[in-house]
Amino acid sequence: MKSCLPRVAAGIIVACLGQGALAQDATIKIGINQPLTGVVAASGNMVTAGAKIAAEDINANGGILGKKIQLVIEDNKSNPTEAASVAEKLITSDKVSALVGAWSSTYTLAVMPKLMEYKVPMIVETSSADKITSSGNPYIFRISPTNSTEAKAFTRFVEPLGIKKADFLVVNNDWGLGAAAEFSKMLKEKGATVNRSLQMDAAAQDLSAQLSSIKSSDSDTLFITTSVEQMTLLMKQAQGLGIKRKIVTTGGTLPDQLIEQAGSAANDSYHDAMFAPWFPDTAGDPDIAKKFIATWTKAGLKPAGMPEGARGYDAVRILAKAIEKAGAADPEKIRAALWQVSYAGLTGNIKFEKVGPEGKESGQSPASTHLVKIEDGKVSLVSK
């Protein structure tokens, strides 16, 4: 084995460092905890692709504090137990300064005790269950709307869409159940009736029983909350059963993927979007949106994934601003700095407000949503 001899230059002795220590000194590590395999892998991979674009752009422009960002990417396998294990590995073994994760509300809730234990902040880029920010975890900073804030933002569309009676079909997890509860509450406050609220397992492919039940109701609207893969199956099966009513999806789905995979079954459906790449002027910063769209396209990534990728992009960008504000890649300093930064990004104007028990507040950025519609295989803007 070669010995490592110190060199003397200009009176300065440069000690020989191991490669791991050198890499740690030369970069600022951010952990990415996403579902790269499993039932929602398509979404996790798109979020990760957006995070990579942000890191590459930051690094190409000098990095942060004179260092490059290094994304340490781990697969939580669409599983909450794995998500918690991944978070612990990123913090204890990889020594990341902050995290982005973990797509599903169920996965994020599983990760949260690890953030408290090790005192490392995480940007929540997608999860929408209200209890993520209301339970008292000061290391949580969410840029995506909660179920309740998304429902509140949707209030302005109830009358224009003529929603009088509604059914719900949602994935049976914290995200889906929370969406059904909050949107039901909002509709009732607007004088609408909620008929049936049904659930489905995340991996279920035969949804004929739920859809047959919904077909027998007299509702004019069906609200769906689930992954885009399951949503595709739903729309095809609903068309096959001859179900004719307005379909509204919540949680920021992927209309382009529905057009590609569900075909005519997706026509006349409405979608609550957090980033509308078809209409970049609706973004918090239209110039950044246009640049992101161009980079995404040049990379050969599927256009359908841009709404998901936007969340990964904004998450890394807001963390970079906090690290720069903190003046060091120190988790506690980054946590404190996140309260002081703002960013006009792809998904809106990000600025954290305090939510939860006093002294243990989580950060929540205000909701920014747009309603789009699929018409004749194309996406149209209903309203900003």
Side-chain angles (χ1 to χ4, degrees):
M1 182 176 74
K2 255 184 207 180
S3 62
C4 189
L5 298 175
R7 296 185 180 182
V8 180
I12 299 175
I13 298 178
V14 180
C16 218
L17 300 174
Q19 288 184 351
L22 184 60
Q24 187 172 346
D25 287 345
T27 63
I28 293 173
K29 293 184 179 180
I30 294 174
I32 307 294
N33 184 343
Q34 290 293 312
L36 306 180
T37 58
V39 293
V40 290
S43 294
N45 278 282
M46 292 301 98
V47 169
T48 302
K52 288 179 179 178
I53 289 174
E56 289 166 3
D57 191 33
I58 291 166
N59 289 341
N61 287 279
I64 311 170
L65 307 178
K67 299 181 180 182
K68 303 289 187 182
I69 289 177
Q70 179 187 350
L71 299 184
V72 185
I73 300 167
E74 289 287 347
D75 178 13
N76 65 36
K77 301 178 183 177
S78 302
N79 180 281
T81 302
E82 193 69 28
S85 297
V86 161
E88 188 162 43
K89 174 192 176 294
L90 287 168
I91 294 168
T92 60
S93 298
D94 298 305
K95 308 296 182 184
V96 300
S97 300
L99 293 94
V100 174
W103 199 81
S104 164
S105 294
T106 303
Y107 314 157
T108 297
L109 287 164
V111 166
M112 286 168 57
K114 299 298 182 183
L115 306 179
M116 288 281 283
E117 180 180 355
Y118 296 107
K119 296 180 169 47
V120 174
M122 183 169 83
I123 301 294
V124 178
E125 88 298 329
T126 304
S127 314
S128 57
D130 283 77
K131 61 182 177 181
I132 288 171
T133 44
S134 65
S135 62
N137 189 320
Y139 294 92
I140 284 289
F141 293 83
R142 176 162 47 186
I143 63 173
S144 59
T146 66
N147 285 321
S148 60
T149 57
E150 186 185 356
K152 183 178 179 180
F154 190 86
T155 301
R156 68 196 192 276
F157 301 121
V158 174
E159 291 177 6
L161 293 181
I163 301 174
K164 302 294 184 183
K165 294 182 180 181
D167 295 318
F168 286 84
L169 182 50
V170 302
V171 64
N172 188 18
N173 60 24
D174 297 284
W175 171 37
L177 297 175
E182 294 298 334
F183 273 79
S184 294
K185 178 182 175 183
M186 177 272 296
L187 289 173
K188 290 174 183 177
E189 289 174 351
K190 291 291 290 182
T193 300
V194 175
N195 280 338
R196 296 177 185 175
S197 187
L198 304 177
Q199 296 85 45
M200 54 199 165
D201 290 336
Q205 295 189 343
D206 181 2
L207 304 157
S208 55
Q210 293 94 326
L211 288 170
S212 294
S213 176
I214 286 167
K215 184 179 180 180
S216 66
S217 82
D218 62 348
S219 294
D220 52 63
T221 305
L222 170 61
F223 283 86
I224 299 174
T225 305
T226 189
S227 68
V228 67
E229 294 85 1
Q230 192 168 53
M231 200 174 291
T232 298
L233 294 172
L234 265 174
M235 289 186 171
K236 286 182 175 180
Q237 291 174 28
Q239 183 184 53
L241 288 170
I243 295 176
K244 298 184 182 299
R245 65 191 63 185
K246 285 187 295 292
I247 289 179
V248 178
T249 76
T250 76
T253 191
L254 307 177
D256 284 323
Q257 188 168 332
L258 288 173
I259 291 169
E260 179 184 345
Q261 297 180 359
S264 62
N267 276 336
D268 300 319
S269 58
Y270 294 85
H271 308 275
D272 212 23
M274 287 73 196
F275 173 55
W278 322 274
F279 314 103
D281 287 340
T282 62
D285 188 324
D287 290 336
I288 289 177
K290 291 169 186 175
K291 182 179 178 182
F292 171 79
I293 292 165
T295 304
W296 187 277
T297 304
K298 185 177 179 181
L301 296 164
K302 289 186 176 181
M306 275 192 273
E308 297 271 19
R311 295 195 288 268
Y313 182 92
D314 279 354
V316 170
R317 280 287 188 180
I318 196 71
L319 268 179
K321 282 189 168 289
I323 294 167
E324 187 174 35
K325 179 76 174 176
D330 174 81
E332 196 61 48
K333 290 180 179 179
I334 295 169
R335 185 193 69 80
L338 281 165
W339 293 112
Q340 303 173 49
V341 297
S342 60
Y343 169 64
L346 306 179
T347 58
N349 296 308
I350 299 171
K351 174 69 177 174
F352 296 109
E353 299 173 351
K354 292 186 176 183
V355 178
E358 186 175 355
K360 296 181 179 180
E361 296 94 343
S362 297
Q364 175 65 55
S365 185
S368 179
T369 63
H370 319 283
L371 190 66
V372 299
K373 182 182 181 181
I374 296 175
E375 296 182 286
D376 298 322
K378 295 182 180 179
V379 181
S380 63
L381 182 64
V382 177
S383 173
K384 293 183 181 182

